Amino acid sequence: MKVARLARMAAMARNKLLCSSHLASMHISTPTSRQISMKTEGLTARLNSAGLLRTQGLIGGKWTDAYDGKTIQVLNPATGEVVADVPCMGGKETNDAISSAHDAFYSWSNLTCTERSKHLRTWYNLLISHKEELGQLITLEQGKPLKEAIGEVNYGASFIEFFAEEAKRVYGDIIPATLGDRRLLVLKQPVGVVGAITPWNFPLAMITRKVGPALACGCTVVIKPSELTPLTALAAAELALQAGIPPGVLNVVMGNAPDIGNALLASSQVRKITFTGSTAVGKKLMEGAAGTVKRVSLELGGNAPCIIFDDADLDVAVKGSLAAKFRNSGQTCVCANRLIVQEGIYDKFAEAFSKAVQNLQVGDGFSEGVVQGPLINESAVQKVESFVQDAISKGAKVLLGGKRHSLGMTFYEPTVIGDVKSEMILSREEVFGPVAPLMRFKTEEEAISIANNTNAGLAAYIFTNNIQRSWRVTEALEYGLVGVNEGLISTEVAPFGGVKQSGIGREGSKYGMDEYLELKYVCLGDMNRK
Ligand code: SIN
């Protein structure tokens, strides 16, 4: 038991090292036959027979190993078992993927909008018809409960469907001319080759939210999924090939994150970087993109306030903040990070909320009834622990949980901490785990000031039955997304993105297309000649 635990810890620590975007050393395996763990053998066999267990990168339409044959392991975060080995690629493979994307750009961008739309629609249909298998793959490598994972497939696929439709609506403009012999036009054209760097918390949806609009606009893409969750990306790429999306339009490389990132940044053929992940890495990418003056879209960390006013409906507030906090075990950028509760409702809310949290069933995402899976790895649990310890040492009170779950090292108890203050790390940084810190406030002004007292500005939530207040507070919040009496607000039809250090640009919705389009102004002169 002890030995297995140690082996699991070692494997996780290796993976943590590997996947750090500041990667200094790599855990690499020699190119032996691919290891599939015994316990997950049945599942992986099913995925394999559906053709969805791809364990090579995709370059120019060809499934490819790392050129030096090195591999990295993908682990199941619920058990620590090795699910598969995937190639540990670097700069060389990335440069080839960029060349393939560059070669494919001319013909892809010259297809008619209807043709591109049809390809995307076919891809969407395939994603939906394989939602069970894709969901299983997400649970296997990311850990979220199967029902939530299948929900992510629906959510992820919705971006492909939406942008299949938007492909037909890339309208230009005609501008009234200031001189009689001229006609002024604006054309919208694809940016070019896009480097898309995506995170582990939504292994599918964060890819489709970027690739959908990119492909719809006529761009081609090199995707670098997280090394923790590459299998879903590879399965989605397999379905893109099956959908007839031509070779080179969509490429996938994974492995040595800094090498891949540097190759994407250095290439003048890559005209845009789109990234979802930490603010620290986002800043580095922004800096790196300056060398070739690339466009960047960044969807970075949050520190979402969830303000519950005295006049809120208690049931609505509990249900909404529970959803906003505990989605994906607290591992989303829009998860409520601070529950800021007015003093008149604080005690009632704390009691009702803690009761609801106590009912959340924790376990392996494949087990029936489980709604809280493991955290992604050991270091994520250590981070949660250290935030909670800091709060306790500064006077906060544990109302529920507050420690590792008895199930093992990647599981943490759904936790509620009362009397959290602004000097505690829990209120200043994104915990990215199942911990709900409660803070007290007296006045509306104080709530707004606490909420805005952060460099982050992604999502915010408010619960109130006062319509004037809801409008007033929404306007005062320095955030890109606001949920009023609702804790789950993400959808393909609305713009997603942050202000301040939470990012640049918007994803999803009609606005998501603008990120992949250049404007070209055309002036037609001598137009009065007969
Ligand atoms: C994220 O956590 O980055 C994405 C969450 C969402 O799309 O709702």
Side-chain angles (χ1 to χ4, degrees):
M1 179 67 188
K2 210 170 167 191
V3 174
R5 199 175 146 93
L6 282 172
R8 201 162 54 163
M9 281 179 79
M12 288 192 163
R14 281 198 302 269
N15 221 34
K16 183 190 92 189
L17 263 182
L18 253 177
C19 298
S20 158
S21 296
H22 310 284
L23 190 75
S25 64
M26 301 288 298
H27 159 62
I28 39 189
S29 321
T30 44
T32 53
S33 61
R34 305 203 181 283
Q35 303 159 19
I36 309 294
S37 75
M38 291 296 283
K39 274 195 188 161
T40 51
E41 206 171 12
L43 178 56
T44 51
R46 276 202 305 283
L47 290 165
N48 214 2
S49 72
L52 291 180
L53 191 66
R54 285 285 173 190
T55 54
Q56 292 169 293
L58 183 64
I59 300 177
K62 291 201 172 65
W63 294 105
T64 309
D65 285 319
Y67 295 162
D68 60 7
K70 288 177 179 158
T71 59
I72 50 175
Q73 295 177 331
V74 181
L75 304 180
N76 175 344
T79 61
E81 292 172 321
V82 178
V83 176
D85 291 340
V86 295
C88 181
M89 294 173 153
K92 286 195 182 113
E93 295 87 345
T94 306
N95 285 331
D96 285 348
I98 294 168
S99 295
S100 298
H102 190 253
D103 292 347
F105 176 70
Y106 181 80
S107 50
W108 179 251
S109 58
N110 276 293
L111 289 183
T112 64
C113 60
T114 326
E115 287 165 329
R116 281 201 303 274
S117 175
K118 274 188 187 145
H119 281 308
L120 286 170
R121 182 81 212 183
T122 310
W123 191 19
Y124 164 77
N125 289 339
L126 285 169
L127 290 166
I128 290 297
S129 62
H130 289 93
K131 71 164 95 163
E132 298 287 334
E133 296 100 317
L134 290 167
Q136 288 167 355
L137 209 43
I138 291 174
T139 300
L140 195 60
E141 64 177 348
Q142 197 276 332
K144 68 180 67 171
L146 186 57
K147 194 165 162 222
E148 195 174 342
I150 293 171
E152 181 186 338
V153 181
N154 286 324
Y155 178 47
S158 75
F159 291 106
I160 302 301
E161 182 185 42
F162 181 85
F163 288 110
E165 292 155 359
E166 283 302 290
K168 298 182 222 162
R169 298 188 194 108
V170 182
Y171 304 138
D173 277 318
I174 297 179
I175 299 173
T178 51
L179 295 172
D181 68 340
R182 297 192 176 185
R183 298 294 179 271
L184 312 184
L185 322 172
V186 177
L187 306 182
K188 290 189 180 175
Q189 295 183 309
V191 164
V193 175
V194 173
I197 305 176
T198 59
W200 51 262
N201 61 342
F202 289 88
L204 181 70
M206 295 305 100
I207 290 177
T208 53
R209 193 156 75 182
K210 297 175 191 315
V211 173
L215 265 50
C217 292
C219 297
T220 54
V221 186
V222 177
I223 305 169
K224 191 211 80 68
S226 164
E227 288 69 37
L228 296 175
T229 55
L231 300 176
T232 309
L234 296 171
E238 162 66 29
L239 294 175
L241 288 181
Q242 288 180 25
I245 292 177
V249 170
L250 192 155
N251 305 274
V252 188
V253 290
M254 76 228 75
N256 185 329
D259 282 2
I260 294 171
N262 287 336
L264 290 171
L265 290 171
S267 168
S268 51
Q269 290 183 333
V270 175
R271 294 309 316 138
K272 177 178 174 100
I273 295 287
T274 170
F275 169 70
T276 296
S278 73
T279 303
V281 174
K283 287 179 183 177
K284 282 195 188 325
L285 290 171
M286 203 171 164
E287 238 176 83
T292 48
V293 195
K294 287 185 209 318
R295 289 175 57 165
V296 289
S297 294
L298 303 172
E299 201 270 272
L300 309 177
N303 180 3
C306 178
I307 308 174
I308 293 120
F309 287 98
D310 283 348
D311 59 25
D313 180 303
L314 184 64
D315 292 342
V316 171
V318 168
K319 185 167 169 260
S321 35
L322 193 76
K325 174 67 247 182
F326 289 97
R327 180 175 171 218
N328 199 10
S329 301
Q331 301 173 107
T332 87
C333 301
V334 291
C335 274
N337 203 52
R338 297 168 288 161
L339 273 58
I340 305 169
V341 190
Q342 202 160 13
E343 57 184 2
I345 198 174
Y346 184 97
D347 291 336
K348 267 191 285 178
F349 178 84
E351 194 189 334
F353 184 74
S354 301
K355 226 184 208 165
V357 175
Q358 197 157 24
N359 288 333
L360 298 174
Q361 195 179 321
V362 180
D364 188 314
F366 286 109
S367 304
E368 196 60 35
V370 162
V371 291
Q372 292 290 285
L375 298 192
I376 189 67
N377 58 22
E378 170 65 12
S379 73
V381 185
Q382 283 171 1
K383 176 180 167 188
V384 170
E385 275 187 321
S386 71
F387 281 26
V388 169
Q389 278 323 308
D390 171 80
I392 293 170
S393 73
K394 291 174 180 156
K397 294 189 180 62
V398 176
L399 305 181
L400 186 76
K403 57 183 190 311
R404 286 174 187 249
H405 197 278
S406 56
L407 279 172
M409 75 183 86
T410 56
F411 292 93
Y412 195 88
E413 291 183 351
T415 292
V416 185
I417 311 271
D419 292 317
V420 169
K421 302 278 178 333
S422 54
E423 63 273 18
M424 300 173 188
I425 302 175
L426 260 184
S427 79
R428 296 205 311 267
E429 287 177 34
E430 208 174 16
V431 64
F432 235 64
V435 177
L438 307 190
M439 304 174 82
R440 274 177 213 267
F441 74 92
K442 286 193 171 66
T443 65
E444 185 179 303
E445 292 68 31
E446 191 189 353
I448 293 168
S449 152
I450 296 172
N452 287 341
N453 184 23
T454 168
N455 283 330
L458 185 56
Y461 307 89
I462 57 178
F463 290 87
T464 174
N465 272 339
N466 177 327
I467 186 154
Q468 289 81 9
R469 163 176 279 161
S470 72
W471 193 246
R472 213 167 40 236
V473 177
T474 295
E475 287 184 339
L477 287 169
E478 297 163 355
Y479 287 84
L481 326 167
V482 178
V484 179
N485 295 325
E486 179 55 63
L488 291 178
I489 61 173
S490 303
T491 158
E492 77 280 13
V493 299
F496 186 103
V499 301
K500 296 180 9 189
Q501 295 187 23
S502 282
I504 293 177
R506 292 295 180 270
E507 297 192 318
S509 81
K510 65 174 184 174
Y511 304 104
M513 293 287 277
D514 297 339
E515 305 290 331
Y516 299 93
L517 292 168
E518 293 287 5
L519 299 184
K520 183 178 280 173
Y521 157 56
V522 185
C523 172
L524 305 179
D526 191 26
M527 292 299 282
N528 288 341
R529 184 148 46 94
K530 297 231 164 92

